[in-house]
Amino acid sequence: MSGGIPWKRLELAVLCVYALVFYADLIRRSLRLSHDYSGRLYGLRAGSLAGHLNDLSDAQWRNFRGNLPVLTVVMGAFMIVANGLRYGYSLKGRGASLSWLILSLSYLCYLHGACVGFILVIAWINYAIVKLFARYKYCTGLIWCFNLGILILNRVYEGYSFSLFGEKLAFLDNYRGTFRWHICFNFVVLRMISFGCDYCWTLCSSHFDHKKHMQKCEVCYSGKTCYFALQEKGLSIEKYTFLTYLCYLTYAPLYIAGPVVSYNAFAAQLDVPQKNYSVGQICCYGLRWILNFLLMEAMTHFFHYNAFVVSRLWRQLTPFEIFIISYGVLNFMWLKFFLIWRYFRFWSLVGGVETPENMPRCINNCHDLESFWKSWHASFNRWLVRYLYIPLGGSRRKLLSIWIVFTFVAVWHDLEWKLISWAWLTCLFFVPEILIKSLSNNFQAKSALGLFIQRELSAIAGAVTISCLMVANLVGYVVGPSGIKILISQMAQKDALPALALIFTTFYVGVKLMFHIRDAGKKHGSQTS
C-alpha cells in the first residue's frame, strides 16, 4: 500500500502537466481560429470585453440572454406576489394552486397570446383520458399514444393556425404572442404523461417502501424529505384535481425550460414548501449562477466555437481543428444549458419547489455514456427512467429499451433526421459499453497487477467511449448526417493519423484524471463519514 501511494502521486503529477500543456495549446489555437476567421463567421455581434466580438450565433442562448432583464423582472414580481399570498394567508393545496395558476396563466398570455387556448384544450383532453381510463391496464399506453400524437402534430402544423378551425377564428392569428407555444409545449407533454402515470399508479397502490428508503437516504434520515421520496410516494386521490393539474402544467418558473419535476413531487410541495435549501444556500446558488454567467460571457467573446458550426466552415479546417471546434461546442452547450436550467431552478427554489439539478457534474468529468446522460439534463433522465425505461422492462431489457428511449428523446427535441441519427449512433455506441460493464461486474481483480490492468483497460475503454460520444455529437450538432462522408474522408487521410492519436491520448489522460478525482471523492467521503 505504501509503495502504491507515491506511484499514484507521480502518475497524477504527469497527468496534470500533460493536461496543462494540452489546454494551453487548445486555448492558443482557439484564439487564433476565432481571430483568423472572424470576418467570415455568422452570428457575431459587437461585444463589451476588450473590443472582442461576441458569439451570439446560437438562437437559444441569444434569446435567453436578451430576455434576461425582462425575465428577472417577471421572476421578481411573480415571487413577491406568490410568496406574499402563500405565506401571508397560509395558502396550501387548492389555495396555492389557484394563486399560482392565475399568475402563471397571465405569464403564458404574455408569451403565447391567444394560443393559450390550444394549451388548455389539449390539457383538458389529456385530463379527461386519464380520469376516464385510469382503472384500465392499457391507460398508460393510451396516455403515451395521445401525447406522442400531439407532439408530432404540433411540429407538423407548426403550432396550428386558428384559420384551420374556421374563418371566424382567423383573426386570432394576429394575437399569437411573443414566443412559439408549441416549442414550450414539449415540456408540457412530459408533465401530462407524468400526471397520467402517477395517477394510474396511485390507484394501483404505491410499492414505495419509505422506511427502507430512509435507512439509505441521508436527507430523509435527517428528518427532511428528498426529491426521490416525494416522487415515489403516492398522494391521496383527492390531490389529483384539475386545478392542481393545470397549475402543474403551467407553473411559470419551470414552464419554458424545466427542470422536469414529477406531478407527485410538485403537488406534495404545494402543501409543504421545500426545506432542503435554506435562504442562505439559495442566495449562494444565485451568486454562483452570476459567476458562471460571467464565465459564459468571457467564453463567447474570446472563443467563437458555435459560430463555426453555424457558418459551416468546419470543412476548411484540419482534423485537429475540427476536434477543437466540436469539443468547444460541447462545452459551450453544456454551459448554456447549465445557465438556463439553473436560472429557472433558482426561481423555483425561491418559490418553495425543489426540482432535480440538471447539470450535477461537469461534462469534462464523464468517461462513460451512462454517467454522461445521468449528468446531462439529469431531471429529464430521471423522468425517462421512471416513465419509459422501467415500464419497458428496465435493466432486464436494457439492450432493447435504450433504442426506444433515445428515439423518443430525439423526436421529443425535434423532427429532424440529424437528431434521429444522433440518437441511433448513441445507442450503437451504448451497446458495447453495456456488454463490457456486465462482463467486468463478474470479474473482480484481487492482485496489484490485476487491479493495475483493470484500471488501464477501464481508462482505454473510457477513451473509446468519449471518442464515440464526440462522433455522435459531431453528427448531431456540427456536421450533420450529410457531412459524415466528408468527415470520414478527412479523418482517413495519413496526415490525420497523428492528430487522431493525440486526441485519443488526450481522452485517455482525461479518463485517468477522472479516476483520480473519483478516488479523492471516495476518500473524502469515507473520512467525513
Side-chain angles (χ1 to χ4, degrees), residues 7-20 509 513:
W7 181 85
K8 280 192 174 184
R9 287 177 179 173
L10 178 62
E11 181 190 58
L12 180 59
V14 172
L15 293 173
C16 288
V17 169
Y18 181 95
L20 287 172
V509 170
L513 280 171

Side-chain angles (χ1 to χ4, degrees), residues 78-183:
F78 184 96
M79 287 298 95
I80 289 170
V81 176
N83 287 344
L85 290 172
R86 183 176 195 176
Y87 296 107
Y89 294 93
S90 301
L91 296 180
K92 292 182 179 180
R94 185 178 178 84
S97 296
L98 183 60
S99 61
W100 286 3
L101 178 60
I102 293 170
L103 291 170
S104 296
L105 284 177
S106 302
Y107 177 57
L108 264 65
C109 287
Y110 165 74
L111 289 176
H112 308 313
C115 293
V116 171
F118 290 129
I119 297 171
L120 295 176
V121 169
I122 295 171
W124 179 82
I125 295 172
N126 182 74
Y127 183 82
I129 290 172
V130 172
K131 288 291 184 175
L132 287 172
F133 300 100
R135 297 187 182 276
Y136 297 93
K137 291 183 178 179
Y138 57 80
C139 184
T140 53
L142 191 62
I143 294 166
W144 268 97
C145 290
F146 172 74
N147 281 280
L148 281 173
I150 289 296
L151 193 66
I152 293 169
L153 287 172
N154 285 354
R155 288 293 183 176
V156 170
Y157 289 96
E158 290 293 320
Y160 314 106
S161 169
F162 281 100
S163 58
L164 285 173
F165 305 95
E167 289 301 319
K168 291 183 179 180
L169 297 176
F171 75 97
L172 292 174
D173 285 320
N174 298 319
Y175 305 97
R176 299 185 69 90
T178 59
F179 204 82
R180 292 179 296 170
W181 74 273
H182 60 285
I183 302 299

